[in-house]
Amino acid sequence: KQFKTERSETVELVKSVAEDKWALQGRHEKRGPMSFADVVQHDTSHPRRHVEQIKRTLAAYAASLAP
């Protein structure tokens, strides 16, 4: 539930940013220069990668239990 609430808050925040601001850049500690659009792209794809990672881990665990 917390994830869903936080994701909804993030969506509302992103929607409130004017289109001309999406190209503004900052510096990510590990990734270097990133625009606001880059950050949004990363934020939306990042959880999906973790879901796939969790699925692979669970499948490997289930396979290790099989006779």
Side-chain angles (χ1 to χ4, degrees):
K1 184 168 173 122
Q2 182 180 353
F3 177 82
K4 186 175 179 180
T5 299
E6 290 175 359
R7 181 57 69 177
S8 294
E9 290 172 359
T10 301
V11 167
E12 291 307 310
L13 177 63
V14 168
K15 287 165 73 174
S16 74
V17 175
E19 190 174 331
D20 65 327
K21 304 298 184 205
W22 283 63
L24 293 177
Q25 294 218 346
R27 177 168 276 295
H28 187 278
E29 183 177 287
K30 294 182 181 176
R31 292 176 174 74
M34 292 181 77
S35 68
F36 179 72
D38 294 333
V39 173
V40 170
Q41 173 63 34
H42 178 267
D43 187 49
T44 57
S45 65
H46 190 79
R48 280 186 232 131
R49 290 192 301 263
H50 282 291
V51 168
E52 291 306 315
Q53 183 181 35
I54 291 167
K55 286 179 180 179
R56 287 191 306 273
T57 301
L58 290 173
Y61 176 71
S64 75
L65 298 177

